[in-house]
């Protein structure tokens, strides 16, 4: 994969009481709404709402990554997360909404480097687990975002290559 000068956008979610992902690093995203034509349309809408980045106007769709099954921390029903990858051709200025504390552009080659991989101790009722993560400056990318990142890196997806869906 040719990663030189390519970057991925991560957001740090705003800290809110009762939000299980409060303060976590993530990709822009959110829930499917009745007015969304598809999961991809929801991803585009959520990106615009959270960052001011209009993927329909300045983005080029690259691919869809694998669905991830998780559950909302307050519910037993599973939740499906469907990640999409876009190449950005617009300004790098981010206009975060109330859900976003900050946005960080991270070089793809940094994210791919083995020496930047780490572990995050995560306490559970059964004990502490060491979760894989990537640390960048004062940010820690882990959990679902880390899983998406690993698929992206493993597949060798970049702006010049598109894997089949």
């Amino acid at each position: 994969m040719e990663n030189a000068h390519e970057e991925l956008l991560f957001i740090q979610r705003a800290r809110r009481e009762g939000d299980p992902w409060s303060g976590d690093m993530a990709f822009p995203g959110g829930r499917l709404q009745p007015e969304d034509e598809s999961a991809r349309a929801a991803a585009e809408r959520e990106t615009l709402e959270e960052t001011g980045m209009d993927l329909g106007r300045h983005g080029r769709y690259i691919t869809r990554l694998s669905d991830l099954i998780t559950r909302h921390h307050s519910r037993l029903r599973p939740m499906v997360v469907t990640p999409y990858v876009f190449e950005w051709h617009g300004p790098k200025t981010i206009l975060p909404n109330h859900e976003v504390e900050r946005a960080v552009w991270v070089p793809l080659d940094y994210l791919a480097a083995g020496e930047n991989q780490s572990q995050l101790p995560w306490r559970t009722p059964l004990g502490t687990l060491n979760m894989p993560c990537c640390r960048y400056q004062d940010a820690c990318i882990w959990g679902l975002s880390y899983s998406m990142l690993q698929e992206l890196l493993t597949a060798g997806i970049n702006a010049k290559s598109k894997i089949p869906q």
Side-chain angles (χ1 to χ4, degrees):
M1 178 182 341
E2 178 58 44
N3 296 337
H5 309 300
E6 291 187 344
E7 298 173 305
L8 290 180
L9 175 68
F10 289 89
I11 59 168
Q12 182 174 13
R13 299 219 167 270
R15 297 176 196 286
R16 297 185 319 197
E17 182 132 357
D19 179 355
W21 298 284
S22 179
D24 281 358
M25 297 303 292
F27 294 107
R31 287 198 170 100
L32 188 67
Q33 299 296 328
E35 64 272 11
D36 294 322
E37 293 179 15
S38 64
R40 179 175 155 185
E44 291 178 19
R45 176 188 51 75
E46 286 283 349
T47 300
L48 179 61
E49 289 175 5
E50 292 180 356
T51 67
M53 297 173 71
D54 187 343
L55 294 172
R57 185 172 176 194
H58 296 291
R60 182 174 72 90
Y61 173 73
I62 302 292
T63 195
R64 174 183 169 174
L65 299 178
S66 301
D67 287 343
L68 297 166
I69 308 292
T70 187
R71 70 176 184 85
H72 191 284
H73 291 271
S74 64
R75 298 184 186 129
L76 294 176
R77 222 171 74 189
M79 182 171 67
V80 178
V81 178
T82 305
Y84 293 89
V85 179
F86 288 81
E87 179 181 20
W88 181 246
H89 294 283
K92 286 179 92 173
T93 305
I94 305 299
L95 304 170
N97 73 358
H98 66 280
E99 299 174 82
V100 177
E101 190 169 307
R102 68 180 175 143
V104 180
W105 289 95
V106 184
L108 199 53
D109 57 355
Y110 181 94
L111 295 164
E115 64 268 17
N116 298 323
Q117 308 311 303
S118 185
Q119 292 187 340
L120 174 70
W122 188 51
R123 291 191 182 113
T124 73
L126 301 175
T128 301
L129 300 174
N130 288 316
M131 304 297 290
C133 69
C134 181
R135 296 181 187 276
Y136 180 75
Q137 297 171 354
D138 63 342
C140 182
I141 301 159
W142 71 289
L144 290 176
S145 298
Y146 187 80
S147 295
M148 293 175 214
L149 171 62
Q150 292 309 303
E151 180 179 355
L152 185 84
L153 293 170
T154 301
I157 300 168
N158 62 27
K160 290 153 192 71
S161 67
K162 180 177 177 181
I163 62 171
Q165 296 185 48

